């Protein structure tokens, strides 16, 4: 019989997912002995997109990112915000396939730490301003999780990681996740509960999980 599972669908470039990371870590600490946790990459930016093209989609980048900071308490590097205000000043490429491949590589070598791995990769973006399309950017994260660098690079750049990342994008669509972050609770092969669409507080997520667990206990 499968254990109930929390499925967190995120994207490395999603600022609201970045804001959600401390909530997910708190949730993991609260329920890791009772629930399994799986993190899926959603594929928000599925192809190479330069910063100037992405910046054109914002009415006000500073207002958008300040809203994330104010609501979640997660700091965003001032230089990251400025990059969107003056995109011609920096060469920076976005493509969700690269961090998704990094995630599946980390899962392969350091399993059962997916929540922490997602946060570490997002810190590279929103705190360290690293370009995630460049392999070398992931070296501090590989080291953090005890993954030998040459082994990380070999698998990260392999066709295996590419196909696994694409599969996660496909699986996210199958779960009908259309925006990020999203959190689902799986209680059987066919039963999924959407417990968060967009940034959601720990308290509210905790209540929803407790409610589902209570319902399942009554059924048994």
């Amino acid at each position: 019989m499968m254990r109930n599972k929390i499925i967190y669908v995120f994207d490395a470039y999603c600022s609201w997912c970045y804001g959600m990371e401390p909530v997910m870590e708190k949730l993991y600490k609260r329920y890791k002995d009772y629930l399994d946790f799986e993190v899926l990459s959603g594929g928000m930016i599925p192809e190479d997109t330069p910063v100037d093209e992405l910046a054109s989609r914002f009415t006000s980048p500073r207002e958008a990112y300040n809203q994330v900071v104010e609501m979640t308490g997660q700091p965003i590097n001032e230089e990251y915000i400025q990059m969107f205000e003056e995109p011609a000043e920096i060469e920076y490429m976005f493509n969700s396939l690269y961090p998704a491949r990094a995630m599946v590589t980390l899962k392969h070598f350091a399993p059962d730490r997916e929540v922490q791995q997602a946060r570490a990769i997002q810190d590279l973006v929103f705190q360290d301003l690293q370009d995630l399309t460049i392999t070398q950017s992931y070296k501090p994260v590989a080291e953090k999780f005890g993954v030998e660098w040459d082994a990380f690079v070999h698998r990260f750049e392999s066709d295996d990681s590419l196909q696994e990342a694409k599969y996660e994008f496909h699986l996210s669509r199958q779960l009908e996740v259309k925006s990020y972050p999203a959190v689902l609770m799986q209680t059987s092969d066919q039963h999924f509960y959407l417990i968060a669409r967009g940034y959601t507080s720990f308290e509210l997520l905790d209540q929803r999980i407790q409610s589902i667990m209570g319902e399942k206990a009554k059924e048994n």
Side-chain angles (χ1 to χ4, degrees):
M1 182 176 170
M2 68 166 284
R3 240 181 22 159
N4 292 339
K5 180 192 288 186
I6 297 297
I7 302 172
Y8 173 48
V9 187
F10 91 118
D11 189 273
Y13 298 116
C14 165
S15 58
W16 286 108
C17 299
Y18 170 69
M20 187 82 165
E21 296 295 354
V23 173
M24 292 307 302
E25 288 193 333
K26 192 173 180 180
L27 206 68
Y28 175 79
K29 290 175 183 177
R30 170 77 171 84
Y31 287 104
K32 61 185 174 69
D33 294 331
Y34 312 100
L35 304 172
D36 290 332
F37 280 75
E38 181 177 10
V39 177
L40 298 176
S41 298
M44 186 173 75
I45 306 173
E47 57 188 20
D48 283 355
T49 305
V51 64
D52 57 348
E53 181 179 330
L54 207 58
S56 68
R57 304 176 190 177
F58 285 90
T59 302
S60 171
R62 183 168 297 277
E63 184 178 328
Y65 287 123
N66 281 347
Q67 187 179 4
V68 174
V69 173
E70 290 168 8
M71 183 171 288
T72 71
Q74 278 277 78
I76 294 177
N77 190 324
E78 172 65 19
E79 290 183 24
Y80 184 81
I81 299 173
Q82 289 177 353
M83 178 175 71
F84 281 89
E85 293 180 318
E86 301 172 0
E89 300 298 317
I90 187 170
E91 291 185 11
Y92 191 102
M93 189 67 68
F94 293 82
N95 186 330
S96 295
L97 261 174
Y98 290 90
R101 293 174 76 173
M103 273 294 299
V104 298
T105 300
L106 289 169
K107 291 180 190 182
H108 176 79
F109 289 112
D112 303 321
R113 302 175 70 185
E114 298 178 24
V115 172
Q116 295 83 0
Q117 289 159 356
R119 180 169 189 172
I121 287 176
Q122 289 213 276
D123 284 349
L124 290 177
V125 179
F126 293 98
Q127 292 186 17
D128 303 331
L129 204 63
Q130 293 296 309
D131 186 335
L132 298 188
T133 66
I134 299 172
T135 303
Q136 190 70 20
S137 296
Y138 298 100
K139 191 169 186 180
V141 173
E143 292 174 349
K144 179 175 182 176
F145 292 97
V147 181
E148 199 272 327
W149 179 237
D150 287 343
F152 178 93
V153 172
H154 179 75
R155 197 168 205 286
F156 171 73
E157 295 181 346
S158 72
D159 187 62
D160 286 343
S161 79
L162 177 61
Q163 297 309 318
E164 289 169 13
K166 288 182 176 179
Y167 175 73
E168 289 200 0
F169 293 176
H170 171 71
L171 186 55
S172 298
R173 291 193 295 272
Q174 280 194 318
L175 292 170
E176 299 183 0
V177 173
K178 297 172 182 171
S179 61
Y180 317 99
V183 184
L184 300 95
M185 185 169 177
Q186 182 181 6
T187 58
S188 72
D189 288 342
Q190 302 298 325
H191 289 85
F192 298 84
Y193 297 82
L194 181 64
I195 59 175
R197 181 188 285 122
Y199 177 79
T200 306
S201 69
F202 168 80
E203 290 75 19
L204 191 51
L205 276 171
D206 189 35
Q207 288 175 13
R208 290 171 179 171
I209 291 170
Q210 288 291 327
S211 176
I212 294 169
M213 292 174 70
E215 289 177 12
K216 293 301 171 184
K218 289 176 184 177
E219 291 176 6
N220 296 330

